[in-house]
Amino acid sequence: MLPKTKIFSLFLFVLLSGASVAHASVDFYQIKIYHLKNDAQEKTVDDYLQKAYLPALHRSGIAKVGVFKPIVSDQTAVSEKLIYVFIPLKSLNGILELDKKLAKDQQYAIDGKTYLDAVYSDAPFERLESIVLKAFEDAPHFMLPNLKSPMRERVYELRSYEAPTEKYFQNKVQMFNKGDEIGLFKRLNFNAVFYGEVIAGSHMPNLMYLTTFENKTDRDAHWKAFSADDYWKKLSAMPEYQHNVSKNDTRFVYPTDYSDF
């Protein structure tokens, strides 16, 4: 018979191993948002992302990185420019590991010199925001959109659902998983790239997801079908799923020419 200390050590090993396997079974995501004030900053960040950052991420083993910009109908009403960078990772620690890899990448340092070595009086951005997400259990990995239209014509819809409390937040996540809202989106061909629980961000508790469409007409037609769907009417009327969203923040974006999708 094993001593109690060895039994406890074995139990702890199995527990931690199980946790590692559980974490490894779902993706983690980082969304970086560049807040820019003018065209010069936008060009600097575009050049950096296209010529230095994305190539370095590709060398590090991240094959597909999304870069998106807001769809704007009236440029005169825009108070700031934004660039979104979506990075899929295999683990939460992948964010720290990526920084270490970039620090050792000499080609990255050369290609990104203008951005990386910018002086304080000529910064390449106003602020850099970072959101970290864990993929939903029923959508554990990100998916590339199956679209045929040119990148510039596409409409990607990035939604953030904020909840009044942590409990309501978990209830909304459950609505996607157990309630099969994910299945509904899939059946109606919304081309969702990811669904994720925000585990670090400025609007918690919240979840985010990204659906993609050929164009605005295609987007509107999909949501019309969603609203009319019998299963959605049934799901949204269930008493257990009421009041779990206090704010819906919807952003329409399109992929840049150098985005991987």
Side-chain angles (χ1 to χ4, degrees):
M1 186 174 180
L2 291 173
K4 290 183 178 180
T5 53
K6 288 189 175 181
I7 292 175
F8 177 76
S9 297
L10 181 61
F11 170 76
L12 187 60
F13 173 77
V14 172
L15 184 65
L16 292 176
S17 298
S20 298
V21 171
H23 281 162
S25 65
V26 301
D27 287 343
F28 286 81
Y29 310 120
Q30 183 181 24
I31 299 176
K32 301 174 75 172
I33 306 175
Y34 289 87
H35 295 258
L36 314 165
K37 67 179 179 180
N38 53 41
D39 293 342
Q41 285 188 334
E42 183 178 20
K43 184 180 186 309
T44 298
V45 174
D46 269 330
D47 287 345
Y48 161 70
L49 293 175
Q50 181 177 9
K51 300 173 183 178
Y53 193 62
L54 264 66
L57 263 57
H58 295 160
R59 288 193 295 271
S60 74
I62 302 174
K64 300 297 181 182
V65 180
V67 183
F68 319 120
K69 293 184 178 182
I71 296 173
V72 180
S73 57
D74 182 7
Q75 290 288 347
T76 61
V78 176
S79 60
E80 67 173 352
K81 296 174 177 290
L82 299 171
I83 298 178
Y84 299 80
V85 183
F86 171 80
I87 307 167
L89 302 155
K90 294 301 181 184
S91 69
L92 181 58
N93 195 47
I95 297 175
L96 300 178
E97 292 301 317
L98 179 58
D99 289 339
K100 292 179 182 178
K101 290 178 181 179
L102 291 177
K104 297 177 181 178
D105 190 331
Q106 295 182 356
Q107 189 61 48
Y108 167 70
I110 295 172
D111 296 340
K113 183 175 176 58
T114 299
Y115 171 95
L116 297 172
D117 294 341
V119 297
Y120 75 94
S121 57
D122 190 23
F125 54 80
E126 292 301 286
R127 284 295 89 190
L128 176 55
E129 182 181 351
S130 179
I131 304 170
V132 181
L133 307 96
K134 177 184 176 183
F136 284 6
E137 290 181 1
D138 283 14
H141 308 295
F142 91 102
M143 299 288 291
L144 294 175
N146 182 22
L147 300 173
K148 297 179 180 179
S149 59
M151 297 285 236
R152 191 61 179 82
E153 294 179 10
R154 297 180 185 181
V155 172
Y156 290 3
E157 188 165 354
L158 181 63
R159 288 198 173 205
S160 170
Y161 288 168
E162 299 175 25
T165 68
E166 290 95 331
K167 188 174 181 178
Y168 279 109
F169 162 72
Q170 291 298 336
N171 178 262
K172 183 58 182 176
V173 173
Q174 182 184 37
M175 188 175 178
F176 273 91
N177 289 318
K178 185 179 177 181
D180 202 29
E181 192 170 347
I182 291 174
L184 174 59
F185 277 111
K186 187 174 183 179
R187 174 165 59 80
L188 295 178
N189 195 30
F190 268 69
N191 268 301
V193 173
F194 76 90
Y195 302 88
E197 303 178 33
V198 174
I199 58 177
S202 59
H203 297 280
M204 297 175 68
N206 69 311
L207 61 87
M208 299 178 73
Y209 65 93
L210 178 68
T211 50
T212 63
F213 311 94
E214 302 283 4
N215 48 48
K216 180 65 162 55
T217 301
D218 184 43
R219 180 264 175 194
D220 292 346
H222 274 81
W223 278 108
K224 183 178 180 180
F226 185 95
S227 299
D229 190 87
D230 288 339
Y231 184 73
W232 170 244
K233 291 178 180 179
K234 175 183 175 182
L235 180 64
S236 60
M238 290 181 179
E240 61 266 38
Y241 294 134
Q242 301 305 303
H243 312 298
N244 54 17
V245 175
S246 56
K247 182 180 179 181
N248 172 1
D249 182 23
T250 299
R251 307 289 177 95
F252 296 106
V253 298
Y254 69 92
T256 64
D257 292 338
Y258 60 88
S259 177
D260 290 326
F261 61 88

